[in-house]
Amino acid sequence: MIPALMTTQTVAILFGIKGGLSDVGKFAVEHALKMQGVTVRPVALSLEAEEGSDYSIEVDIKDEQLKLQLKETFNGIKYKTLDIGDPGAQGKLEEVFSGCDAVVSCLGNRQNKAIWCNLGAQKVVAAMRSQNVNRLVQLSSMGIGNDYLPMSAIKALWWCMLRTSNKQSYKDLVAMEATVLSSDVDFVIVRPMGIDPDEKPRGSWKILQRRGEGTLPITVAKQDVAQFMVTEALKPTLHRQCITIGKDTSTALPSSKKK
């Protein structure tokens, strides 16, 4: 019997050069590279007029070993760099997206002075439509839209911070979600809880899809959000839906599991 050929899927993973949301995209690249039958097209993005053109890979996590592993991963691959403010950025994204099955998009930063999440989303969606790529998993934030979280002191504090000290980032994220929601692509908008540098990955997560499903811990590992996004991009279970993602406390950390 002749063995069946393995089906190869191609995913473009976009990430900014600064901020926690961008770190999720970098870890998404690392996770996707470990998957069999998956071709990864990584793209580092910057609004160069405000963020500069240093596209070297850094992440903000406390675990030095995991940080080094990520750096070694990127040292061993080629990734495209792109100024999202370039008038030709959409055309360059179209080149990346040609032949892709899905796009994972981790743009910008919740607390960054460079505001370009919506600008990026507009160009991403337009490039996807041009290349007939239908699947988009877009990173956003808790506190945007209806995140299904019951009211709490932490939610109230973050709600206030977004609308005061982070007002411009809040408006940008709201506009980004509106761009995706109004598109005709098959999207999942992922709103993470606090992506804490101290959190270690568990390889699992908990999501809220509607009101009344409970609450979530305050923080979640960047790697777990990344793994969810890549998995959902290539093995879809949610369609044209917004979800909030947090830590799965029912799963022990790998180092504390019984041998």
Side-chain angles (χ1 to χ4, degrees):
M1 178 181 291
I2 299 175
L5 294 175
M6 179 180 291
T7 300
T8 299
Q9 291 178 286
T10 301
V11 58
I13 302 179
L14 316 180
F15 54 90
I17 60 173
K18 295 181 179 180
L21 299 183
S22 297
D23 285 354
V24 173
K26 297 165 191 174
F27 283 114
V29 172
E30 181 181 49
H31 179 72
L33 287 169
K34 297 175 182 176
M35 300 175 69
Q36 289 189 340
V38 175
T39 298
V40 186
R41 296 181 184 173
V43 184
L45 298 147
S46 171
L47 186 60
E48 291 188 4
E50 297 185 36
E51 295 179 306
S53 57
D54 180 2
Y55 289 93
S56 57
I57 301 299
E58 299 290 342
V59 290
D60 181 19
I61 58 171
K62 295 298 176 65
D63 190 313
E64 292 298 327
Q65 182 178 356
L66 294 178
K67 186 184 294 187
L68 178 60
Q69 286 176 2
L70 181 81
K71 200 170 188 68
E72 290 176 345
T73 294
F74 273 88
N75 286 340
I77 65 171
K78 292 183 179 180
Y79 59 94
K80 190 176 182 66
T81 61
L82 178 60
D83 178 6
I84 198 63
D86 181 349
Q90 181 182 322
K92 293 176 182 178
L93 286 172
E94 289 174 4
E95 293 177 8
V96 174
F97 294 168
S98 177
C100 281
D101 297 286
V103 175
V104 172
S105 179
C106 303
L107 308 179
N109 183 355
R110 285 187 278 208
Q111 301 179 46
N112 195 1
K113 293 181 179 179
I115 305 299
W116 57 270
C117 289
N118 186 42
L119 172 65
Q122 289 174 346
K123 295 185 178 184
V124 167
V125 168
M128 288 178 65
R129 294 185 67 184
S130 171
Q131 296 302 311
N132 296 314
V133 181
N134 192 43
R135 184 63 172 170
L136 171 64
V137 182
Q138 175 67 59
L139 191 62
S140 182
S141 171
M142 64 170 286
I144 306 298
N146 183 356
D147 60 17
Y148 314 123
L149 291 164
M151 185 51 68
S152 66
I154 293 297
K155 178 173 180 174
L157 176 62
W158 181 241
W159 190 93
C160 291
M161 286 177 60
L162 278 173
R163 291 159 178 79
T164 53
S165 59
N166 296 333
K167 189 175 182 179
Q168 294 305 312
S169 293
Y170 169 74
K171 289 182 177 179
D172 189 37
L173 287 165
V174 169
M176 178 195 73
E177 285 203 3
T179 294
V180 175
L181 288 165
S182 64
S183 74
D184 58 1
V185 301
D186 179 21
F187 65 81
V188 180
I189 292 177
V190 180
R191 299 165 175 156
M193 300 296 286
I195 38 181
D196 188 347
D198 284 326
E199 282 287 352
K200 292 187 177 182
R202 295 167 181 261
S204 63
W205 46 82
K206 181 180 177 182
I207 66 171
L208 301 181
Q209 301 183 57
R210 58 188 64 85
R211 288 277 185 183
E213 292 185 334
T215 189
L216 295 170
I218 298 170
T219 58
V220 63
K222 297 175 181 181
Q223 296 96 322
D224 290 338
V225 179
Q227 183 177 346
F228 169 81
M229 293 184 72
V230 172
T231 302
E232 192 57 43
L234 297 174
K235 299 177 181 179
T237 62
L238 305 170
H239 302 278
R240 295 189 62 84
Q241 192 169 343
C242 304
I243 63 98
T244 301
I245 185 170
K247 177 167 53 181
D248 176 13
T249 55
S250 69
T251 302
L253 288 169
S255 59
S256 62
K257 288 180 179 178
K258 294 181 179 180
K259 295 182 179 180

